[in-house]
Amino acid sequence: MPAAFALMDCNNFYASCERVFDPSLANAPIVVLSNNDGCAIARSAEAKALGIAMGEPAHLRRGFYDRHGVRLFSSNFALYGDMSRRVMETVKMLAPGGPEDMEIYSIDEAFVRLDGDVPRDREAWARNLRRIVLRWTGIPVSVGIAPTKTLAKIANRTAKRDPSCAGVFDLCAHPDPDAVLAATDAGDVWGVGRRHAAMLARHGVRTALALRDLPDVFVRSRMTVTGLCTVRELRGVPCIPLEQAPPPRKSILTSRCFGRPAHTFGAMAEAVAAYACRAAEKLRALGLAASHVTVFVMTSPHAEGEPYHADTTTAGRLQATDHSAALMALARTCLERIYRPGHRYKKAGVMLTGLERADARQQALPGLTPGAGDDERGRDLMRALDAVNAKWGRASLQYAGAGLDKPWRMRQAHCSRRFTTSWDDLPEAKS
DNA sequence: TCTGGGGTCCTAGGACCC
DNA sequence: TCTGGGGTCCTAGGACCC
C-alpha cells in the first residue's frame, strides 16, 4: 500500500491556548479577537454553538457577547507561538519515520507521512498521538488520515465533526470514501476559495465528489494548474509533496491598522519607521538581508463620507542589508513619495523583498562604497540592539524615529499574559 | 470609539531582445 | 490587399492559505 498522510490539527487552537492557563474557561464560550480587537478570529466550541461567526466584527456584537457570558481575548501571539512549538515538538517525536517525515504546515497544523499498511496500526498511532499531545501540552487535537494531503484535510474535518470518530478518522480504511466526498462542500476543499466555489456552483458543482469527477480540461482552464493539482489529489493521486524543509522566504511584511487614525506626516513617519524596524528584526532573526522596501498606506474603506485612498511604492539599494536604520531610511523615502496630506490614514505596512542570506550576500562592485550600516560597526550595533531587546523585552531599546508615545498603536484591551515566555507575566504566587 | 496580519503561487500582458 | 518567430523579464491583479 502506498504511503498515507496524517493531518494533525489543533482544535480551536487560540481558544484552547487561553483555556490551558485558566481553568475557569473550561466550558465557557471563548472568542479570540484579531489584532486591534477588530474581528473574531477563533472561537471555542461553545462560542461556535452560539452562532458566533469567523471574522465577524466584534464591535457590532458587544451586547450579544455580554448577554451570553462570552469571554473575550485580544490575540496573544507570544503565547500561541510558544504553545505551537510545544505541540510540534511532541508530534515530531512521535512521527513514525522520524522528524524528516513531518511538515509543520501552519501554527496549528502538521502533516505526517505514515507508511504502515495496517489500518488498525495507523488508527492506534493517531489515538496515541492525541493522548500524548493533550497530556503534555493541554491542547486537544484531531487527526485525519488519507492517501493525499488534500484528502487528509477532508478526513480531518470528519474527525472533528463526527463525534463517533472521537478525534481520529482514517479515510483509507472507510468502506465508502465517495460518501465522505459527497458530504463535503466543494468550497470546503483545501485549495478551493470563495471565488472558485461560486464559479463551480454556477456549473452545478457543489460537492467534493462532483469536483473530483470534473474533466481535466475544464479544471485547468478555469482554476489553473493549482486547481488541477487539487482535483488529482481528490482522486487519490498525490500531487502536493510533504515539504521537509520550509522553502526560503521571499518577503517579510509588517503591517497594522492603527488604534486611532493618523493624519499627520509625523505620525505616519513614526508608524512606518516602527514597522520597518520590526520587519528588520524579523529579517535578522531569519539570518536574511533585503535589497528592497515597499511601503503601503491606506485610509479606512469603511469610513463614510471620506474618499478611500491607498497607495504603494518601492525603493531599493544595490546591496542587501539587514541594518534597521538603512531600511528605515528607505521606508521613509517611500512614504515621502506617497503621503498625501488631508487623509485620515488607518493602516500602513512595510514589506521587505529581494531577500538573501545575510552571510552570503552579493557584494557591491569594487569602488562603490557600501551603504550605511553595511560595515562591522553597523553589524555590531544590530547585534547589541537585538541582544538588549531579547533580554529586556521588545522595543526596550529602539530608534527615536519609531516614536515614543505611539498614539497610533493598536488596541489590545483583553490580552492574557505571556504565561510561557515571560517570567514577569507569571501570576504572583499566593502564600 | 468601530471590520486582522502574514504569506504564496499563477497568469496575462507589456517591454525588450535577437 | 500587405506586417515573423521565439524568447526572457517584470508587474499588476487575482486567487488561495491559516
Side-chain angles (χ1 to χ4, degrees):
Chain A
M1 181 185 255
F5 293 93
L7 173 65
M8 183 267 345
D9 190 325
C10 301
N11 300 347
N12 316 320
F13 182 55
Y14 299 164
S16 297
C17 288
E18 298 292 349
R19 199 167 258 168
V20 168
F21 296 93
D22 185 349
S24 79
L25 296 172
N27 297 301
I30 303 171
V31 168
V32 179
L33 302 173
S34 62
N35 276 333
N36 239 342
D37 293 345
C39 344
I41 55 166
R43 306 99 77 215
S44 68
E46 296 79 7
K48 289 177 188 171
L50 285 174
I52 295 170
M54 183 71 172
E56 69 177 30
H59 72 269
L60 299 177
R61 302 268 275 170
R62 295 289 180 189
F64 178 87
Y65 293 171
D66 287 346
R67 282 197 300 286
H68 290 89
V70 171
R71 307 280 297 270
L72 283 181
F73 290 89
S74 302
S75 36
N76 181 348
F77 287 105
L79 176 65
Y80 311 151
D82 189 61
M83 291 303 292
S84 170
R85 191 186 51 76
R86 296 174 184 212
V87 170
M88 297 306 172
E89 288 297 319
T90 308
V91 176
K92 195 176 284 180
M93 272 184 242
L94 297 173
E100 302 296 298
D101 274 356
M102 171 193 181
E103 172 191 346
I104 298 172
Y105 174 66
S106 74
I107 194 167
D108 70 334
E109 289 170 81
F111 289 102
V112 178
R113 196 192 335 264
L114 298 180
D115 278 323
D117 53 0
V118 183
R120 229 184 21 232
D121 290 351
R122 286 193 305 257
E123 184 178 330
W125 173 82
R127 296 212 177 277
N128 186 54
L129 177 79
R130 286 189 82 225
R131 192 166 57 241
I132 304 271
V133 171
L134 182 63
R135 191 188 302 155
W136 290 5
T137 69
I139 301 291
V141 306
S142 302
V143 183
I145 300 167
T148 67
K149 288 164 87 174
T150 303
L151 288 170
K153 280 274 206 180
I154 290 177
N156 190 284
R157 272 171 54 87
T158 307
K160 275 209 173 73
R161 289 163 166 243
D162 183 343
S164 72
C165 291
V168 174
F169 181 69
D170 184 353
L171 189 65
C172 309
H174 195 266
D176 188 4
D178 281 13
V180 177
L181 295 193
T184 304
D185 285 349
D188 288 333
V189 172
W190 188 41
V192 179
R194 270 225 321 275
R195 307 301 286 257
H196 284 332
M199 181 277 297
L200 289 168
R202 283 198 298 277
H203 289 87
V205 176
R206 297 204 160 70
T207 68
L209 187 68
L211 176 59
R212 182 197 72 182
D213 294 335
L214 238 32
D216 283 4
V217 184
F218 177 95
V219 177
R220 174 67 183 79
S221 68
R222 289 184 172 76
M223 300 170 70
T224 80
V225 293
T226 29
L228 197 52
C229 259
T230 296
V231 168
R232 295 222 168 121
E233 287 241 318
L234 287 176
R235 295 173 189 156
V237 181
C239 291
I240 308 175
L242 202 70
E243 303 273 0
Q244 266 101 358
R249 290 280 283 271
K250 300 186 169 171
S251 65
I252 288 172
L253 177 69
T254 297
S255 80
R256 250 162 219 77
C257 285
F258 305 136
R260 267 183 278 149
H263 57 271
T264 65
F265 181 81
M268 289 296 283
E270 271 186 20
V272 165
Y275 297 172
C277 283
R278 179 67 196 121
E281 285 171 10
K282 296 181 194 174
L283 190 68
R284 292 192 296 272
L286 292 165
L288 298 172
S291 63
H292 286 74
V293 175
T294 299
V295 171
F296 64 84
V297 296
M298 57 184 72
T299 61
S300 170
H302 307 291
E304 287 181 21
E306 281 182 47
Y308 175 65
H309 173 248
D311 206 352
T312 176
T313 190
T314 300
R317 64 202 319 267
L318 284 172
Q319 196 187 0
T321 182
D322 62 1
H323 196 285
S324 294
L327 295 164
M328 279 169 65
L330 285 175
R332 183 163 176 121
T333 304
C334 291
L335 182 66
E336 284 167 353
R337 289 213 288 259
I338 56 177
Y339 176 83
R340 298 284 173 271
H343 288 293
R344 287 156 36 88
Y345 287 101
K346 186 60 186 152
K347 182 175 184 175
V350 174
M351 181 159 58
L352 307 181
T353 53
L355 305 186
E356 301 171 46
R357 276 177 44 192
D359 59 2
R361 261 178 279 182
Q362 178 102 12
Q363 296 300 305
L365 285 171
L368 288 176
T369 44
D374 290 335
D375 54 7
E376 199 50 45
R377 287 185 66 212
R379 282 188 284 277
D380 284 346
L381 179 60
M382 289 303 104
R383 268 194 290 273
L385 177 71
D386 291 336
V388 167
N389 287 331
K391 178 159 187 184
W392 299 101
R394 191 170 291 168
S396 295
L397 186 59
Q398 63 153 42
Y399 283 87
L404 294 176
D405 55 341
K406 297 189 171 69
W408 37 269
R409 193 200 314 257
M410 67 184 181
R411 280 185 303 271
Q412 287 209 299
H414 310 278
C415 208
S416 54
R417 298 163 187 248
R418 293 165 296 167
F419 297 103
T420 63
T421 55
S422 167
W423 291 110
D424 292 342
D425 276 13
L426 284 177
E428 295 288 319
K430 302 273 191 319
S431 54

